[in-house]
Amino acid sequence: MLSVKKIIIGLLLIIVAAQFYRPVQNKDLSAMSDHISKVVTIPHQVNGILKKACYDCHSNNTSYPWYAQIQPVNWYLNKHIKAAKAQLNFDNFKHYSTRRQLSKLRAIENSVEEGTMPIASYTLIHKNAVLSKSEKKLVMAWAAASRDSLEQIPF
């Protein structure tokens, strides 16, 4: 019984100590000179959809929920955001090659159509990120039109 108490106290100390190690938050308030809107036109309605369903993970500015202040939840979120931004970062879209931009727009269209984005673990907690059929159609149409406009630009 004494060893169980020691284990519990040890775990509590580790959890408390973990609260002091916080990764840098994904917040960049600088100008968005390389944002996707500098490459393709984003209608107001589509921009709203992207903000509520995509930007927390795929931009340089995450709106953190309250539970992100608790470790190890913040570590998990930070790791996920880094991985998501490595795949697609709307704030760095202008830096991508035209070929990569086309690929990312195609991936947006496909992932929204297939329902793989936003991911289920995100929409489980962020109910406003669940896309309706009309929102999915808007995003897919925008991605396809943006891809078409980029394909017409000579390389």
Side-chain angles (χ1 to χ4, degrees):
M1 189 67 170
L2 185 60
S3 64
V4 173
K5 274 186 176 178
K6 286 181 179 179
I7 291 172
I8 291 172
I9 290 171
L11 286 174
L12 286 174
L13 288 174
I14 290 171
I15 290 170
V16 169
Q19 304 312 309
F20 293 101
Y21 176 72
R22 298 181 176 271
V24 176
Q25 292 205 325
N26 186 39
K27 295 275 185 191
D28 183 4
L29 302 177
S30 61
M32 301 185 315
S33 61
D34 299 325
H35 189 262
I36 189 171
S37 62
K38 306 298 182 196
V39 179
V40 295
T41 302
I42 305 175
H44 180 70
Q45 211 170 359
V46 171
N47 195 37
I49 296 167
L50 295 177
K51 280 184 179 176
K52 77 171 188 173
C54 309
Y55 282 9
D56 274 349
C57 299
H58 295 283
S59 78
N60 292 335
N61 286 296
T62 299
S63 177
Y64 287 94
W66 66 267
Y67 53 83
Q69 300 304 315
I70 301 168
Q71 308 305 339
V73 175
N74 196 16
W75 299 339
Y76 169 77
L77 292 175
N78 198 41
K79 183 178 176 183
H80 173 79
I81 291 167
K82 280 183 179 177
K85 285 172 54 178
Q87 291 297 314
L88 170 63
N89 186 342
F90 288 104
D91 287 328
N92 292 341
F93 197 82
K94 191 175 176 183
H95 279 297
Y96 297 164
S97 67
T98 303
R99 183 178 178 170
R100 188 168 183 206
Q101 290 172 347
L102 291 168
S103 171
K104 295 304 175 188
L105 288 167
R106 188 174 302 108
I108 291 169
E109 191 178 350
N110 291 341
S111 62
V112 169
E113 183 176 24
E114 294 165 2
T116 56
M117 283 288 166
I119 60 173
S121 62
Y122 184 76
T123 57
L124 181 70
I125 296 171
H126 299 88
K127 296 295 184 193
N128 66 332
V130 176
L131 301 180
S132 67
K133 283 186 179 180
S134 62
E135 289 174 325
K136 286 181 178 182
K137 283 183 181 178
L138 275 172
V139 172
M140 290 187 305
W142 163 77
S146 297
R147 198 165 26 89
D148 289 344
S149 71
L150 283 177
E151 286 175 335
Q152 294 179 9
I153 298 172
F155 289 93

